[in-house]
Amino acid sequence: MVEFETFNLLLNAKKKDFIKKICHESMKDDYTDETLEAVATMLDCSAQETKNLLASLNSFISKIAQNDMTGSEEIHALFPEDFHKNLASLLTKIILELLPFWRQQTTENQVSLPKLSSFSWSVSTQQDTNTPLCFLNLNVKGKSGTESVNAHLSKESLESLLSGLKQIKTQINQLTS
């Protein structure tokens, strides 16, 4: 929740760069005691006031990022009418400057499933039982790079896999129709 009154603490900053640094710190996942102490010292306020400020800035900036706001007028309109005009302009400028960086950070830190980048297959006969097998090689791209996943499928396992994939295809088609 955005508590705009906490933003008034930023008026205590001696330099505009301090405000930029505080905005940057607010977008981190966790605030260390050192961060809280440094911000509290910059703004001459308590640790609790600092936590409230950082949480409000985080909520405000996240709202802007989630709603894909890219114009200064859009952002400026989010501030209450009685809000300090120069502070609103400065925060808008800082947010627009740092927003691409925060979006990239968010994307890089997202938990996501690996994506199939390529696959290959071959069919051959298992020598000791004379049973045909499908050798499937999947290359999946994840956060740590590309990995190779190999599977040996009997006729029955392949039929079961294909049946499952057909069901998935049917469900996807129903959702997109």
Side-chain angles (χ1 to χ4, degrees):
M1 184 172 149
V2 180
E3 297 175 18
F4 286 100
E5 58 276 0
T6 63
F7 290 5
N8 289 326
L9 289 170
L10 295 170
L11 294 170
N12 296 340
K14 296 186 180 12
K15 295 181 181 179
K16 291 178 184 178
D17 282 347
F18 287 172
I19 296 174
K20 186 176 180 179
K21 181 171 176 44
I22 292 167
C23 287
H24 186 68
E25 290 296 326
S26 77
M27 294 306 291
K28 294 186 176 174
D29 290 335
D30 193 21
Y31 312 126
T32 63
D33 289 339
E34 292 82 20
T35 297
L36 292 173
E37 189 176 315
V39 173
T41 301
M42 278 187 236
L43 300 177
D44 192 31
C45 64
S46 71
Q48 187 59 49
E49 289 173 315
T50 301
K51 282 182 183 179
N52 293 344
L53 171 63
L54 293 175
S56 287
L57 279 169
N58 183 293
S59 294
F60 185 66
I61 295 167
S62 295
K63 180 179 180 179
I64 291 166
Q66 290 167 357
N67 291 308
D68 203 24
M69 296 180 176
T70 56
S72 58
E73 298 82 22
E74 286 179 294
I75 296 170
H76 217 288
L78 296 175
F79 291 97
E81 283 188 35
D82 60 342
F83 193 79
H84 193 283
K85 299 295 178 205
N86 290 340
L87 183 56
S89 295
L90 179 59
L91 284 172
T92 300
K93 180 182 171 191
I94 290 169
I95 291 167
L96 286 172
E97 178 185 337
L98 295 176
L99 202 54
F101 171 76
W102 290 323
R103 282 192 176 125
Q104 179 184 355
Q105 288 288 103
T106 301
T107 303
E108 289 173 1
N109 293 334
Q110 278 183 336
V111 176
S112 62
L113 296 173
K115 293 179 175 46
L116 180 65
S117 58
S118 66
F119 73 95
S120 61
W121 58 273
S122 64
V123 177
S124 66
T125 305
Q126 191 174 7
Q127 290 184 5
D128 55 339
T129 62
N130 224 14
T131 308
L133 288 175
C134 173
F135 295 95
L136 185 61
N137 177 278
L138 306 172
N139 291 312
V140 291
K141 187 180 267 185
K143 261 196 140 174
S144 59
T146 302
E147 279 186 56
S148 184
V149 178
N150 296 307
H152 300 180
L153 303 169
S154 67
K155 181 180 176 184
E156 295 78 23
S157 333
L158 185 58
E159 286 173 354
S160 177
L161 175 64
L162 290 174
S163 173
L165 289 173
K166 285 179 187 175
Q167 289 174 355
I168 292 169
K169 180 182 175 185
T170 302
Q171 289 179 9
I172 289 173
N173 286 338
Q174 288 173 349
L175 291 173
T176 58
S177 307

